[in-house]
Amino acid sequence: MDHRTALAALSVTAKNTLQQRSDRAGLMHLAGYMFALCATSLWIITKAPFWQMAILPQGVLLMFLFTLSHECTHYTPFKTRWINDVTGHAVSLPLILPFTWFRYFHLAHHRHTNDPQNDPELEHGPRPETWHDFMIYLSGWGYWRAMCLTLLRNACGIIQASYLPTRKHTSIRREACILLIAYLFIGLSLTMSSLALYLWIIPALIGQPFLRLYLLAEHGHCPLVANMLANSRTTFTNRLVRALAWNMPYHAEHHSFPNVPFHQLPHLHKSLKPHLQSTSESYTTFAHSYSRSLK
């Protein structure tokens, strides 16, 4: 059964309920996430005992803001539209991920999931097939390089991708210029204080491999077909990881019905679970499986 057939079996009432967004659910989840991030940040800032141990969770929390940015591209974390926009733009800074550009990049990924010719995720870098490529992928080098080049091109007005609408070129260029100015000030601040180094730069480098492996599990080694229940993987994991990733481990469900907000995905999962074709018991299981295929 493909995703269209599976969704057609749901009643209109069920579909409407699944698509209900909630500012309360989104803001509560965001508050818990920011509480954890503030706690690790304060641990580092105050140099409390064993503060170096906080750098790893700081990095993981910072990099997994990607999943919040991803959700905001769909306008699903919050019911109020402007809260999605403000949040998406705010988290673009630590990720070097221009939000307006990313929205259209990601929507194109949804339209052409796992299509080698049209999926922009594959255009930005094919999934690793050798141990050498795998280690470079996990390091985050490809991501940081691609995002820096994207920012520079956007700022210079070199906006050529077909999925970026012409009417948004000015906004995309303005956004890139603002981010570059912000990074310039951060760079200048490093000459006076090492705070940004320990709060952002080092944690980001350490946290990026965890995000890379998580993202690789979403579509890595899934069939190159149009069926979202097959070309996207749902990974079974614990509540902590699901909370960290805004329930995006339910990834086949998300691709099958992108309008469903994060807090409703567990309910959609119950309906689609019998039809899932690409799953993994855990991220550790996926990593072991993927590594065995590397040359």
Side-chain angles (χ1 to χ4, degrees):
M1 183 180 292
D2 67 13
H3 67 283
R4 292 183 181 88
T5 306
L7 292 177
L10 299 176
S11 69
V12 173
T13 301
K15 290 178 183 177
N16 289 337
T17 300
L18 286 169
Q19 294 179 82
Q20 292 298 312
R21 292 158 172 76
S22 168
D23 285 342
R24 182 176 181 274
L27 290 172
M28 286 184 64
H29 194 91
L30 180 61
Y33 198 107
M34 295 311 296
F35 177 83
L37 186 56
C38 287
T40 56
S41 297
L42 285 173
W43 193 355
I44 294 170
I45 291 170
T46 59
K47 287 189 166 50
F50 309 108
W51 66 271
Q52 295 90 343
M53 293 176 60
I55 291 177
L56 175 58
Q58 173 84 354
V60 171
L61 287 165
L62 279 175
M63 292 303 95
F64 270 80
L65 286 171
F66 175 91
T67 55
L68 173 55
S69 176
H70 157 267
E71 275 295 271
C72 288
T73 65
H74 293 284
Y75 288 111
T76 49
F78 313 101
K79 183 177 181 179
T80 303
R81 195 175 181 90
W82 68 262
I83 301 180
N84 289 285
D85 280 326
V86 169
T87 304
H89 284 291
V91 301
S92 66
L93 186 66
L95 297 169
I96 314 184
L97 185 67
F99 180 63
T100 304
W101 171 88
F102 179 54
R103 169 172 286 145
Y104 293 99
F105 173 94
H106 185 66
L107 293 179
H109 162 64
H110 267 266
R111 285 194 299 272
H112 307 290
T113 305
N114 257 15
D115 180 343
Q117 304 302 320
N118 297 298
D119 188 342
E121 279 197 3
L122 298 178
E123 290 178 12
H124 265 237
R127 296 182 183 112
E129 297 182 357
T130 68
W131 273 103
H132 176 265
D133 292 342
F134 184 60
M135 298 310 293
I136 292 176
Y137 171 84
L138 288 183
S139 74
W141 164 250
Y143 172 81
W144 297 121
R145 179 178 179 274
M147 288 302 97
C148 289
L149 288 175
T150 296
L151 267 186
L152 291 172
R153 291 193 187 106
N154 290 352
C156 294
I158 307 172
I159 306 170
Q160 300 170 331
S162 60
Y163 52 79
L164 300 173
T166 304
R167 71 181 188 280
K168 290 293 181 179
H169 285 193
T170 300
S171 298
I172 290 171
R173 185 174 186 179
R174 184 190 308 119
E175 173 184 60
C177 290
I178 291 172
L179 284 173
L180 287 174
I181 291 171
Y183 297 132
L184 176 61
F185 276 106
I186 292 173
L188 292 174
S189 74
L190 287 173
T191 63
M192 298 176 285
S193 170
S194 61
L195 198 58
L197 186 67
Y198 291 108
L199 281 179
W200 173 45
I201 297 176
I202 294 177
L205 294 175
I206 293 174
Q208 186 64 225
F210 294 90
L211 178 64
R212 289 297 102 198
L213 182 60
Y214 160 82
L215 292 175
L216 186 61
E218 291 183 342
H219 304 286
H221 286 178
C222 289
L224 304 180
V225 296
N227 180 11
M228 300 298 180
L229 295 174
N231 67 24
S232 304
R233 177 179 288 102
T234 286
T235 303
F236 303 109
T237 185
N238 57 61
R239 290 184 179 181
L240 180 61
V241 176
R242 288 199 299 270
L244 179 69
W246 290 72
N247 275 337
M248 283 302 109
Y250 294 124
H251 209 64
E253 295 84 346
H254 166 68
H255 266 260
S256 297
F257 203 169
N259 282 341
V260 174
F262 75 98
H263 63 280
Q264 295 282 19
L265 279 176
H267 303 296
L268 178 61
H269 170 70
K270 291 178 181 178
S271 299
L272 296 185
K273 186 176 181 179
H275 313 300
L276 297 176
Q277 297 173 39
S278 295
T279 63
S280 184
E281 290 304 313
S282 69
Y283 286 99
T284 302
T285 301
F286 169 78
H288 286 165
S289 174
Y290 197 95
S291 65
R292 286 196 295 270
S293 72
L294 295 173
K295 302 173 184 176

